[in-house]
Amino acid sequence: MTTEKLNSIKNLVTAYSLKSPCNEKKVGCVIIDPSDDSILSFGANGNHTLDRCLCNGKDQCMHAEVSAICSALHCERSIRRFSLMCTNSPCTACASLIVRVGITTVYVLNTNSRTAGIEYLRENKVKVYILSEQNNKQG
């Protein structure tokens, strides 16, 4: 993926995260078709209608990764070997789902204190790219 396209998708996923109804944390995610770097689906944390937050900041809402993956699968296309970009590090449950559906590359804009999901992805041969300014590395 070119730097220009990567930056364009970073801007889109960041803007989409603002659609989250959660007052505690706004997270966005996109599924990317690597054949042409087009976006297949978007997701944000919250309930599936994105109309109000039900979690009160307590991991009880649908995570952005789950939302994006469900939306992609709703298109009745396989997302095996696709890429995912998320504004925050995935939790271990989301990382497990990412591996299970066959996503092979994950771009993370901001790491947080929960790195177990990134470790799980790497242990399962998923390429992870940390795109935050202070942590720009591949693994």
Side-chain angles (χ1 to χ4, degrees):
M1 184 179 316
T2 67
T3 302
E4 181 179 341
K5 186 65 174 182
L6 190 64
N7 287 331
S8 174
I9 295 173
K10 281 170 58 175
N11 292 335
L12 285 171
V13 73
T14 300
Y16 197 79
S17 72
L18 300 177
K19 290 186 171 285
S20 169
C22 185
N23 295 323
E24 297 295 318
K25 184 189 307 183
K26 298 194 179 293
V27 181
C29 182
V30 294
I31 306 292
I32 306 161
D33 183 340
S35 68
D36 60 2
D37 296 329
S38 63
I39 294 174
L40 177 63
S41 67
F42 289 88
N45 62 316
N47 64 358
H48 69 283
T49 60
L50 294 178
D51 58 358
R52 65 186 175 103
C53 183
L54 303 174
C55 71
N56 297 321
K58 294 183 175 70
D59 275 353
Q60 296 173 358
C61 62
M62 181 184 298
H63 288 194
E65 300 91 335
V66 174
S67 178
I69 289 169
C70 288
S71 293
L73 295 176
H74 186 72
C75 296
E76 298 183 9
R77 286 184 60 189
S78 170
I79 56 174
R80 187 165 298 285
R81 292 184 289 282
F82 274 42
S83 300
L84 177 147
M85 183 182 290
C86 196
T87 56
N88 293 66
S89 303
C91 68
T92 52
C94 287
S96 177
L97 179 62
I98 289 165
V99 169
R100 180 84 177 192
V101 299
I103 289 171
T104 55
T105 305
V106 172
Y107 300 92
V108 178
L109 302 190
N110 301 296
T111 58
N112 52 34
S113 59
R114 301 196 303 190
T115 59
I118 290 174
E119 292 168 16
Y120 182 86
L121 291 170
R122 288 179 173 153
E123 289 167 4
N124 285 278
K125 311 281 188 276
V126 175
K127 294 177 191 164
V128 178
Y129 297 90
I130 309 298
L131 302 178
S132 60
E133 300 290 324
Q134 69 271 27
N135 240 345
N136 197 4
K137 60 184 173 184
Q138 171 190 353

